[in-house]
Amino acid sequence: MKTFTRSRISMLYVILIVLLLAFVSVSNYLASRNMERENNAIVNQALPILTTANSLLTSIINQETGLRGYLLGGSEQFLEPYTTGRAQVASSLNMLSTYDKKFPTLQIIIDTQAIPAITNLQKYYDTTLDLYRTGKIEEAKARVTGGKTLMDRYRVVHTSIENNIEQITSTSYEASQQAGKTSRLITIVGFLIALVAGAMSIFISLRSYEAEKELRKSEENYRYMAESLESQNEEIIAQQEEQQVTLAKLSERERDLELISSYQEKLTGYVKLTDFLKHTLPALLNSLAQDAALVVLEDLTEHGVSSYNVIHSIGYPKGHIQASRRELFGPARRVFEEGVSITHTRDVTGSEQGVHNGMTRAIDHYIPLTDDKQGVIGFLLLTSYQCSSFQEDNQRLTKGLVRQFGLAFYAQVVNDEKLQQAERLALLNDQLTAEKLLLEGQHDLIQNILESAHEGMMMCDSEGKILFSNHRMNQYFGLNDRIGENLVSCSSEIVAESPSFHGVASSIEALIDRSLSHLTQRFSFQQDEQLQHAELYATVVSEGTEQQGYLFVFRDRTEEERVDEMKNEFISIVSHELRTPLASVLGFVEILLHRDLPQEKQKRYMETIYNEAQRLSNLINDFLDLQRMESGRQSYNFAPIHLQALVTEIADQWQDKQLHQIVVHQTEPELWVRADMDRIRQVFDNLISNAIKYSPGADHIDIHLFAHEDKVSIAIQDYGLGIPPEANEHMFSKFFRVDNSDRRQIGGTGLGLAIVKEIVEGHGGHISYTSEMGQGTTFRIEFDLFEISGLDGKIVIFEDDDNLAKLIQVALHKLSLPSIQLRSAEEGMIALRRCEGEGPILFIVDIHLEGEKTGWDFIADLYKHPVHAQTPVIVSTALDPPHDYHEKQIEKYLKKPFTMERLVQVAKRLLDNKSSLAYVFPVQDKEALSTTLERNGINVLKMEENQDMIEVDIIKPPSDK
C-alpha cells in the first residue's frame, strides 16, 4: 500500500476540485432544464384555465338565453340551457378554484370580481324566474334590462380574466427562456473555472513533489539531533513535576489564607443579626469545606418555658428544617446539657440526597454557642455530604474559625438586643410624642372653637377664680389680663363702671356661694356710646367632683333686639299700608252699595277702588318677591335686551301718570344687556317711583345711559329731598325707611330698594347711589355689556348647559369649522336678523333654553327668514318629537343622550347635502344617463356605479349661480 505523501495529497485535492466543479456544472445545467420544463408546464396550464373561463362565460350566456326564451315563449323546454348552464357554472368555478394557489393575481380577480358578479347574475335569474312563475310576468320582463347590465359587468370581468391569463402566459414563457439561457451561461463559466483551477492545481502538485524530495533528505539529518535532545527533555520534565507539586501546595495554602481573611472581614460591621448570619455563614462553609449550616437559638418566655428557633439556615432543602421546636433530643439536646461539640453521622433520605440522588451519608457537627459567662444559648450545626469529618491536619484552624464565629455571634446577639430595645424605646417615644401632639391639637382645637364662638365664654373654679376667658368676653369686660383673679371682685369693678351690671354681679356672687343653682339673666350696657343688649347664663361643669367649676356664656342680643324692633316697625308699616287702601276700598264699596250715585261718581269711585287694589297687589307681590329671593328660589329668564328701547318705553309709561317729566339721555346708538325683561322693568319702575315720590318739589327726572369699557351704566337722578348720611348703611335693608318729618307723608314699606338690590346682584350687576341733602339723589346701576355675536360662516349651538356645549364644540373640531354657543332663542333671533354676510352654516338647537322663548320659536323664526331659511338644523333635545313633527331634508331630530360621533356624522351629512352638487338617479345604463343629462344642459363631472344605483356628480349650470 502506498504512503500518502504531500504531493499525492495535493494531487488528490486537485482531482476532487475538478470533480466538484464538474458536478456543479452538470447540476446547474440539469436545474436550468428542469426550470424550463416547469415554466412550460405553467404556460400549458394557462390554456385549460382560459378554456374554463370561456366555458364559464358560455354557460352564463346559455342561462340568460334560456331564461329570455322562457320569458318570451313560456315553455319549460327553454329552461334546459338555463339548467345545464347553471350546473356547468358550478363545475367551471370548481375547476378555477384548483388554480388559485398557483396564480394569486387570477385568484384576486375571480374572488373579488368574477364570483360576486356571477352571484348577482344567479340571484337576478332566480328572482326573475320566481316572479314569472308567481304570475308577475310584466315585472319579470321589465327586469331584462337589469340582466343585460349585470351581464355587461361580467363581460368586463371576463375580459380582465383573459388579459390576466395572457399576461401570465407571456411573462412565464419569457422568464423561463431567460432563466434557461442564464443557467447555461453559468454552467459554461463554471466549467471554464474548473479547467483553470485544475491546471493550476497540477502545476502546484508538481512543484510540491520536487520540494518533498528535498525535505526528505533534511529529515534524516535532523532525526539524529532530535533523539539526543529527547533524553535531555525527559530530565527537565521530571524537575518541572516536582516544582508543580510544591507550587500546588503553596497555592492551596494561599487559598485557605484568603478564605480565612475574607471570613474574618465578614465577622464585623453589621447592624442586624440577620445580616450578620446571611454573610458570615457562607464564608464559614467555604473556609471549612462544609455543605450546609444552621443556627439554633434558645428563647425563654416570661413563664420560663424554653423554645428553640432556627434563626438562619443555608444549604438544606426547602421545607427540610422546622423553624421552631418546643423540645430537643439527641445530639442537639446534649449540646445544651454538656456544652461540648458533638459529631453525628446519619443516613440521607428524601430531597437531601440531591438532584442525582447521589448523597447517601451526612456528618453533622453540633457546635455550642455560649454567652460571656460560658452559658449555652444555642448551637451551630455544620453538615457535610462529601467527607467523613474535619480534615485532621486542619483541626486547629477549624476550632479557631468556629471560636471566632461564636464570639462574633454573641456580640451580634447582644447588639441586636440593644438595637431592638432602642427601636422599642423609639416607638414608645413616637407614641408619646403623637399623644402629646394629639393632646396639644385637641387643646388647640378646643381653644379655636371657644375663640371662634360668637358668644363670650369664661370659666372659673368652684371658688370663683378665673381660669379661662375667650377674646369675645375680653372684648366686653377685659378679663384676659385678670386670669387667676376672683370673679366676684372683677364683677364689683365692672359694676362701678356700668351700674346696669349690678344685678348680674349679685347673681354671680350668689351662684359661687351656692345659694343659686343656675344663672340666666338679661341686661343692657353702653359700649362705644351705643346701647348693647346681652344675656348671661352659667352652667356647672364637672358637678360633684374636685374639678367642679362654672362656665359663663355671654351672648350679644343687640341684633335680636334690633330685629324685634324692625319686626314691630314692619308690623306697624304693613298695618298702615294694608289698612289705608283697604279702608278706602271698603269705604267706597259701602257707598256704592248703599247709595245711588251718578255714573261719573261711580266711575271715579271704581277707579279709586281699582288703584287701591292695585296698590295692595303690588305690596303683596313685593313680599312674595323678597321671600323667593331670600330662599334662593327666584329664577330669571335671561335674554338679550335693547336697553335704550326698554328705558324709553318705561319712561313713556310714566310720563302720563305723574307731573314729573322723565328725560332719557343716551350717548351710544345701541346698548345691549343680558337680563330678565320683567325683572329689569321692575327695577326701573321702583327707582323711577322713588325718584318721583322723594322729589315732590321738582318737575323732572333725568336718566343717563352710557357705556365704558365692557360695562353699561344707568343713572337715575332726582332733585328732591336727598338721603341723610346716617342712613347710608341701611338704605338697602328690608323695611328700612328714613325717619324724617318730610317723609312721613310718603307711603312705602321699605322693601323696594332691597328688592332692587337683589335683582341687580342676581344679574351680576352693581347698584350704588350718591346724595346731597336738599339737592337730590342719583342711583347708579352697572351691568355687563352684551355684544350680539356674529353668525357668519359658523355652526351655531343653542345650549344653556355650558359643559355640554363645550363638549359639542370639541367634537365639531373634526369638521374644521368655527362654532359659537348661544344660550337663548332671543339672542339667536336678534343675531340672525343682523346677519349681513353669508350667514350661519348649521344650527344645533336645544328646545329648552334660557329666556321665555324655546328652540321651536327660533326654528319657526328661522324658516320665515328671507335669506337663511334653508340653513340646516339639528334639533337636540331630551324630549320625544311632537306628534305632528316630521323631519325635513335640511332638518334632523336627535334625542338625548346621543354620542358625539353620531352628532358629527349628522352634521357632516347635512353640510355635504347643502354644499354638494351631486344627484342620485335610479339604476340604468350609464351611457344613456350621461347622454340624457348632457342633452338637458347638465355637464357630468364623475359617475360611480354601485350595486343598485349610479351616483352622478355634475358641474353646476351657470343659471344656478
Side-chain angles (χ1 to χ4, degrees):
M1 186 175 183
K2 295 182 178 180
T3 304
F4 284 96
T5 62
R6 294 180 179 176
S7 61
R8 290 192 180 94
I9 292 174
S10 300
M11 184 61 68
L12 290 174
Y13 175 72
V14 171
I15 295 171
L16 289 174
I17 290 177
V18 173
L19 292 176
L20 179 63
L21 291 175
F23 176 76
V24 170
S25 300
V26 174
S27 299
N28 286 338
Y29 181 79
L30 293 176
S32 65
R33 294 298 301 168
N34 183 61
M35 183 171 60
E36 288 183 10
R37 285 195 299 272
E38 288 294 328
N39 287 328
N40 289 334
I42 293 174
V43 173
N44 293 333
Q45 287 177 355
L47 294 176
I49 297 174
L50 182 61
T51 302
T52 304
N54 291 333
S55 175
L56 185 63
L57 176 62
T58 303
S59 300
I60 293 173
I61 292 174
N62 290 338
Q63 279 187 278
E64 182 180 12
T65 303
L67 180 64
R68 287 187 178 181
Y70 179 71
L71 294 178
L72 295 175
S75 174
E76 291 290 337
Q77 66 181 359
F78 290 110
L79 288 179
E80 182 178 354
Y82 172 80
T83 305
T84 304
R86 188 179 184 89
Q88 188 62 38
V89 166
S91 175
S92 299
L93 288 176
N94 292 332
M95 178 81 61
L96 287 176
S97 64
T98 60
Y99 299 101
D100 285 351
K101 295 182 179 179
K102 295 182 179 180
F103 306 105
T105 306
L106 182 62
Q107 177 188 0
I108 293 173
I109 296 175
I110 293 173
D111 291 344
T112 61
Q113 298 183 23
I115 292 178
I118 292 172
T119 303
N120 291 337
L121 278 168
Q122 296 292 353
K123 290 180 180 180
Y124 165 77
Y125 293 151
D126 294 342
T127 303
T128 304
L129 190 60
D130 291 340
L131 290 173
Y132 189 88
R133 287 175 172 174
T134 55
K136 300 179 181 179
I137 299 174
E138 295 301 326
E139 185 176 352
K141 291 180 178 181
R143 291 172 56 87
V144 172
T145 304
K148 181 179 180 302
T149 301
L150 295 175
M151 191 64 195
D152 290 341
R153 291 181 186 173
Y154 179 73
R155 284 192 176 95
V156 173
V157 175
H158 180 75
T159 303
S160 299
I161 295 174
E162 289 180 337
N163 294 336
N164 186 262
I165 294 172
E166 183 179 354
Q167 183 179 1
I168 291 172
T169 304
S170 60
T171 302
S172 300
Y173 185 76
E174 291 174 0
S176 64
Q177 294 299 323
Q178 185 64 33
K181 293 178 181 178
T182 303
S183 298
R184 286 190 290 273
L185 179 61
I186 292 173
T187 303
I188 294 170
V189 172
F191 182 73
L192 292 176
I193 292 172
L195 292 178
V196 173
M200 293 180 65
S201 299
I202 293 171
F203 177 75
I204 293 170
S205 297
L206 294 175
R207 293 298 300 271
S208 298
Y209 182 74
E210 293 176 358
E212 185 179 359
K213 288 181 180 180
E214 297 294 330
L215 288 173
R216 194 176 295 114
K217 293 179 181 179
S218 300
E219 285 178 358
E220 292 176 358
N221 294 330
Y222 288 112
R223 186 177 296 113
Y224 175 76
M225 296 173 63
E227 289 176 356
S228 60
L229 291 172
E230 186 175 357
S231 60
Q232 297 176 6
N233 186 44
E234 289 177 356
E235 294 179 1
I236 294 172
I237 290 173
Q239 294 176 0
Q240 287 179 347
E241 289 178 352
E242 292 178 0
Q243 291 177 355
Q244 287 177 354
V245 171
T246 304
L247 181 61
K249 292 180 179 179
L250 292 174
S251 298
E252 185 177 357
R253 182 61 178 169
E254 183 181 2
R255 182 183 64 82
D256 293 340
L257 291 175
E258 288 179 355
L259 289 173
I260 294 169
S261 177
S262 175
Y263 166 71
Q264 290 175 343
E265 288 177 357
K266 294 181 179 179
L267 289 177
T268 58
Y270 301 101
V271 177
K272 295 183 178 181
L273 180 61
T274 55
D275 294 335
F276 168 79
L277 295 173
K278 181 179 179 182
H279 291 86
T280 56
L281 281 182
L284 181 61
L285 291 177
N286 292 333
S287 301
L288 300 179
Q290 297 294 300
D291 299 315
L294 62 82
V295 176
V296 175
L297 198 63
E298 184 179 13
D299 184 17
L300 292 175
T301 63
E302 295 179 356
H303 304 288
V305 179
S306 297
S307 63
Y308 303 93
N309 301 321
V310 177
I311 60 175
H312 192 78
S313 66
I314 179 173
Y316 295 104
K318 186 177 181 181
H320 181 71
I321 303 299
Q322 186 174 347
S324 179
R325 290 179 178 270
R326 287 290 182 184
E327 187 176 356
L328 296 178
F329 59 90
R333 183 66 182 172
R334 289 177 59 195
V335 168
F336 277 95
E337 293 176 349
E338 302 174 9
V340 296
S341 299
I342 297 175
T343 301
H344 178 259
T345 304
R346 58 183 174 85
D347 294 331
V348 174
T349 58
S351 58
E352 209 176 4
Q353 292 179 340
V355 295
H356 48 69
N357 294 328
M359 305 294 183
T360 58
R361 303 281 292 174
I363 300 177
D364 296 329
H365 303 281
Y366 293 86
I367 303 167
L369 300 174
T370 60
D371 57 12
D372 55 346
K373 297 179 181 180
Q374 298 303 311
V376 180
I377 60 174
F379 64 83
L380 169 66
L381 174 61
L382 298 174
T383 301
S384 174
Y385 299 105
Q386 299 175 357
C387 58
S388 60
S389 181
F390 294 130
Q391 298 178 5
E392 295 297 331
D393 59 348
N394 224 7
Q395 286 289 339
R396 185 177 179 182
L397 175 62
T398 300
K399 291 180 180 180
L401 295 179
V402 171
R403 177 64 178 169
Q404 289 179 354
F405 175 81
L407 294 174
F409 175 77
Y410 178 68
Q412 193 66 43
V413 168
V414 173
N415 182 66
D416 200 58
E417 290 178 353
K418 291 181 179 179
L419 182 62
Q420 291 178 1
Q421 290 177 357
E423 290 178 351
R424 286 194 292 269
L425 290 175
L427 180 61
L428 290 174
N429 182 62
D430 292 340
Q431 292 176 351
L432 290 175
T433 303
E435 291 179 1
K436 180 181 178 182
L437 293 175
L438 179 61
L439 292 175
E440 291 177 354
Q442 292 177 347
H443 177 270
D444 293 339
L445 177 62
I446 295 172
Q447 184 77 15
N448 291 333
I449 292 173
L450 294 176
E451 291 293 341
S452 61
H454 292 287
E455 291 81 10
M457 294 185 182
M458 184 271 297
M459 187 173 180
C460 67
D461 61 10
S462 59
E463 302 300 325
K465 184 173 69 174
I466 300 175
L467 302 176
F468 166 79
S469 175
N470 68 354
H471 79 285
R472 188 76 66 178
M473 185 69 83
N474 183 62
Q475 179 180 353
Y476 292 110
F477 302 111
L479 295 179
N480 271 1
D481 298 331
R482 312 191 70 171
I483 301 297
E485 297 183 14
N486 190 274
L487 179 59
V488 177
S489 301
C490 295
S491 300
S492 300
E493 295 179 10
I494 296 173
V495 170
E497 296 179 1
S498 300
S500 60
F501 196 72
H502 182 271
V504 178
S506 301
S507 299
I508 292 174
E509 184 177 1
L511 180 67
I512 294 176
D513 291 342
R514 294 179 175 82
S515 58
L516 280 180
S517 59
H518 63 278
L519 170 63
T520 301
Q521 192 162 349
R522 294 183 178 183
F523 60 96
S524 301
F525 61 96
Q526 290 287 335
Q527 186 180 37
D528 298 332
E529 299 181 356
Q530 292 186 357
L531 182 64
Q532 302 290 326
H533 303 276
E535 180 180 13
L536 181 68
Y537 59 90
T539 57
V540 179
V541 179
S542 302
E543 185 175 5
T545 64
E546 295 181 357
Q547 291 81 24
Q548 178 175 331
Y550 301 95
L551 176 65
F552 293 87
V553 179
F554 174 87
R555 189 167 64 88
D556 188 356
R557 297 185 60 257
T558 304
E559 184 65 22
E560 292 181 12
E561 293 290 340
R562 189 184 68 81
V563 171
D564 289 340
E565 184 179 349
M566 287 179 58
K567 287 181 179 179
N568 294 333
E569 184 179 356
F570 166 68
I571 293 173
S572 176
I573 292 172
V574 170
S575 298
H576 177 268
E577 292 295 329
L578 290 176
R579 286 176 179 175
T580 300
L582 190 59
S584 298
V585 170
L586 292 175
F588 284 109
V589 168
E590 184 178 3
I591 293 174
L592 290 172
L593 288 174
H594 297 90
R595 296 184 185 179
D596 293 331
L597 300 174
Q599 189 70 25
E600 293 181 359
K601 279 191 175 183
Q602 288 184 9
K603 182 179 180 181
R604 187 167 64 250
Y605 290 169
M606 291 297 291
E607 289 176 351
T608 303
I609 293 173
Y610 175 78
N611 291 333
E612 294 299 328
Q614 190 68 35
R615 180 179 169 187
L616 285 172
S617 176
N618 293 336
L619 181 62
I620 294 172
N621 288 335
D622 286 346
F623 290 147
L624 295 176
D625 288 342
L626 190 62
Q627 182 185 14
R628 280 196 299 269
M629 293 173 185
E630 289 183 341
S631 61
R633 292 185 288 106
Q634 178 63 50
S635 61
Y636 299 101
N637 295 319
F638 290 101
I641 295 176
H642 189 202
L643 196 58
Q644 293 98 323
L646 177 63
V647 173
T648 302
E649 178 187 348
I650 295 173
D652 290 341
Q653 292 175 356
W654 279 92
Q655 297 288 5
D656 300 332
K657 297 181 179 179
Q658 303 291 337
L659 299 176
H660 293 69
Q661 182 180 2
I662 301 174
V663 183
V664 179
H665 307 272
Q666 59 187 48
T667 59
E668 302 290 337
E670 196 172 62
L671 293 175
W672 291 83
V673 294
R674 183 171 169 270
D676 186 315
M677 175 76 77
D678 294 334
R679 296 303 172 187
I680 292 300
R681 186 185 296 274
Q682 185 178 358
V683 167
F684 288 126
D685 282 337
N686 260 308
L687 293 178
I688 293 174
S689 173
N690 285 348
I692 293 173
K693 286 193 296 185
Y694 291 100
S695 59
D699 61 353
H700 72 283
I701 293 170
D702 291 324
I703 300 178
H704 299 271
L705 302 175
F706 56 93
H708 56 95
E709 297 179 355
D710 57 346
K711 300 291 183 180
V712 176
S713 293
I714 307 101
I716 300 175
Q717 182 177 7
D718 66 54
Y719 304 92
L721 303 176
I723 299 173
E726 60 271 14
N728 288 343
E729 60 178 311
H730 304 293
M731 276 302 295
F732 295 103
S733 300
K734 295 177 292 184
F735 312 119
F736 177 77
R737 301 182 69 225
V738 177
D739 188 10
N740 189 300
S741 59
D742 296 332
R743 295 172 171 80
R744 289 177 182 171
Q745 301 302 321
I746 301 174
T749 60
L751 296 177
L753 289 180
I755 294 174
V756 166
K757 186 174 185 294
E758 290 285 346
I759 294 175
V760 171
E761 291 180 350
H763 283 70
H766 176 71
I767 184 171
S768 61
Y769 71 91
T770 56
S771 181
E772 185 177 351
M773 291 298 294
Q775 301 298 320
T777 303
T778 301
F779 278 89
R780 290 182 177 83
I781 303 175
E782 190 176 78
F783 293 115
D784 290 332
L785 181 63
F786 182 81
E787 295 184 2
I788 303 298
S789 304
L791 307 183
D792 293 337
K794 297 178 181 178
I795 297 176
V796 184
I797 303 169
F798 284 89
E799 181 61 63
D800 57 356
D801 186 335
D802 294 335
N803 293 329
L804 179 57
K806 183 65 176 177
L807 181 62
I808 293 174
Q809 287 182 305
V810 171
L812 292 176
H813 282 172
K814 296 180 181 179
L815 302 179
S816 300
L817 294 171
S819 60
I820 186 174
Q821 176 193 3
L822 301 182
R823 301 177 60 87
S824 64
E826 291 87 343
E827 182 180 354
M829 294 176 182
I830 295 170
L832 189 63
R833 287 195 289 269
R834 295 161 65 96
C835 284
E836 297 180 354
E838 61 175 314
I841 59 176
L842 174 67
F843 290 105
I844 300 176
V845 184
D846 191 5
I847 299 304
H848 292 299
L849 300 168
E850 289 184 352
E852 296 182 355
K853 296 185 181 296
T854 66
W856 293 124
D857 297 324
F858 170 78
I859 294 174
D861 191 72
L862 171 66
Y863 290 156
K864 297 177 183 177
H865 198 279
V867 178
H868 305 299
Q870 294 300 314
T871 305
V873 176
I874 297 177
V875 180
S876 163
T877 179
L879 303 176
D880 292 325
H883 295 294
D884 56 348
Y885 176 80
H886 298 285
E887 283 190 348
K888 302 179 182 179
Q889 186 177 3
I890 59 172
E891 181 181 310
K892 295 297 179 184
Y893 195 98
L894 289 184
K895 184 177 179 181
K896 297 179 182 178
F898 49 78
T899 63
M900 292 299 106
E901 293 183 2
R902 171 63 177 162
L903 176 66
V904 172
Q905 290 176 356
V906 174
K908 188 175 184 303
R909 189 179 302 117
L910 289 175
L911 293 172
D912 291 343
N913 290 341
K914 178 182 178 182
S915 58
S916 175
L917 298 176
Y919 300 89
V920 180
F921 296 87
V923 63
Q924 53 183 297
D925 185 69
K926 291 172 61 177
E927 295 181 358
L929 178 60
S930 177
T931 303
T932 303
L933 292 173
E934 290 178 359
R935 187 167 55 246
N936 288 275
I938 300 176
N939 296 321
V940 176
L941 180 63
K942 183 175 66 173
M943 300 181 71
E944 292 185 1
E945 184 175 4
N946 294 330
Q947 185 173 357
D948 57 351
M949 64 176 60
I950 299 175
E951 294 182 359
V952 183
D953 290 343
I954 66 171
I955 301 174
K956 190 174 182 180
S959 58
D960 294 342
K961 294 183 180 178

